[in-house]
């Protein structure tokens, strides 16, 4: 069956000393043979150092974004090769903050997904609707469009080595998480859409929920049959909260 995954997206937070304190606490209390897989995604500039701190632990390292291009004159960008070189196993692509603030299109996100897989990084593909989409009954349409861009460029088999994260934009950083049934409904929709192309891959594809997950609501979200873990923002910066979410995922 699908092993639960909990990934911490630190976004643009942290300092070297804060990171060291957080990682030290997480790895000292995280089992060597954990029931849930744990990934942390620090800002680019801290990847190498956090990777060093994680050495000898079971916690994996991920980045928050990647350039779609392989190399060249792209000032400020970071390639999949570089992420691999500093020890990343995962990379988030298509986070709504990048889709919205940096105007990343579905096609660009798909190219980033492909670039990551081309260097054996596991992409964590974020999809999710905005509040206006939900209110106008367009949630499925938006999520389908975001998912289909990947299926068209990379094919359904690409999802055998990827993670999907459903993150409704209205639930991110608002303290207002999706109700477990709302999350389940979209997760089941995503799985069914994959199954229409390949049922075997749909059955193993991990689909995480993200958006105001915290220790107090993790268990009920993770109890949903198609919710395979969480992509955690704010609560991933607090060791107690993050560890409690990991524990909830592990006892799912
Ligand atoms: P919050 O957990 O802070 O709502 O953020 C979710 C998120 O965007 C993770 O990628």
């Amino acid at each position: 069956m699908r092993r639960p995954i909990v990934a911490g997206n630190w976004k643009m937070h942290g300092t070297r000393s804060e990171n060291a304190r957080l990682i030290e606490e997480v790895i000292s209390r995280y089992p060597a043979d954990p029931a849930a897989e744990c990934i942390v995604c620090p800002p680019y500039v801290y990847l190498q150092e956090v990777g060093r701190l994680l050495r000898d632990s079971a916690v994996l390292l991920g980045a928050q974004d990647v350039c779609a291009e392989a190399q060249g004159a792209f000032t400020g960008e970071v390639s999949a090769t570089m992420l691999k070189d500093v020890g990343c196993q995962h990379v988030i692509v298509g986070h709504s903050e990048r889709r919205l603030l940096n105007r990343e299109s579905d096609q660009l996100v798909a190219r980033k997904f492909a670039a990551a897989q081309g260097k054996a990084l596991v992409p964590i593909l974020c999809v999710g609707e905005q509040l206006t989409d939900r209110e106008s009954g367009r949630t499925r349409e938006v999520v389908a469009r975001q998912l289909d861009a990947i299926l068209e460029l990379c094919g359904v088999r690409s999802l055998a080595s990827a993670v999907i994260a459903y993150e409704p934009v209205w639930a991110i950083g608002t303290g207002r998480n999706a109700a477990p049934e709302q999350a389940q409904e979209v997760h089941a929709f995503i799985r069914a859409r994959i199954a229409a192309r390949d049922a075997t891959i749909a059955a193993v594809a991990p689909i995480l929920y993200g958006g105001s997950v915290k220790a107090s609501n993790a268990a009920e979200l993770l109890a949903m049959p198609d919710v395979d873990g969480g992509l955690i923002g704010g609560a991933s910066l607090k060791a107690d909260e993050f560890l409690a979410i990991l524990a909830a995922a592990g006892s799912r």
Side-chain angles (χ1 to χ4, degrees):
M1 263 321 277
R2 300 182 297 268
R3 184 174 177 223
I5 300 173
V6 174
N9 175 8
W10 293 4
K11 307 192 179 182
M12 198 171 72
H13 292 288
T15 62
R16 293 176 67 204
S17 59
E18 287 167 355
N19 300 344
R21 268 200 302 277
L22 176 60
I23 290 298
E24 208 170 292
E25 203 166 339
V26 169
I27 62 177
S28 69
R29 292 162 56 192
Y30 180 68
D33 183 17
E37 185 169 300
C38 176
I39 305 159
V40 293
C41 304
Y44 281 145
V45 71
Y46 297 129
L47 281 172
Q48 201 163 357
E49 189 165 355
V50 170
R52 255 197 309 273
L53 295 168
L54 292 177
R55 209 163 30 208
D56 303 325
S57 86
V59 179
L60 303 172
L61 185 68
Q64 298 175 15
D65 188 33
V66 64
C67 184
E69 307 295 337
Q71 64 168 352
F74 301 101
T75 302
E77 295 287 337
V78 174
S79 71
T81 304
M82 294 170 187
L83 296 181
K84 195 77 189 168
D85 195 30
V86 298
C88 289
Q89 293 96 357
H90 292 75
V91 58
I92 297 169
V93 297
H95 192 280
S96 61
E97 285 148 19
R98 296 205 60 87
R99 290 183 190 264
L100 294 168
L101 302 174
N102 299 72
R103 295 204 169 81
E104 293 193 5
S105 66
D106 297 331
Q107 287 65 37
L108 177 61
V109 172
R111 290 179 56 232
K112 290 184 173 202
F113 183 105
Q117 287 198 329
K119 296 298 168 194
L121 289 163
V122 176
I124 302 173
L125 168 73
C126 298
V127 298
E129 82 288 2
Q130 297 187 55
L131 186 58
T132 49
D133 301 320
R134 178 162 281 269
E135 287 176 341
S136 56
R138 295 178 58 242
T139 297
R140 288 176 174 224
E141 184 189 323
V142 169
V143 169
R145 195 196 67 220
Q146 294 169 337
L147 182 64
D148 287 357
I150 305 299
L151 294 171
E152 275 152 34
L153 185 70
C154 305
V156 68
R157 282 169 179 278
S158 69
L159 296 180
S161 42
V163 175
I164 296 169
Y166 169 57
E167 297 207 310
V169 179
W170 48 271
I172 294 178
T174 58
R176 179 186 164 198
N177 60 287
E181 298 73 21
Q182 286 177 313
Q184 169 58 26
E185 197 255 328
V186 180
H187 283 229
F189 170 73
I190 293 169
R191 201 175 303 285
R193 201 164 180 89
I194 301 167
R197 305 209 186 198
D198 190 318
T200 309
I201 287 175
V204 298
I207 308 178
L208 316 185
Y209 167 78
S212 296
V213 179
K214 38 189 183 278
S216 60
N217 62 18
E220 61 180 20
L221 285 158
L222 290 160
M224 294 292 114
D226 286 295
V227 177
D228 304 318
L231 180 55
I232 321 297
S236 73
L237 301 169
K238 299 176 196 143
D240 286 343
E241 284 278 318
F242 193 54
L243 285 157
I245 295 166
L246 273 163
S251 58
R252 176 176 183 266

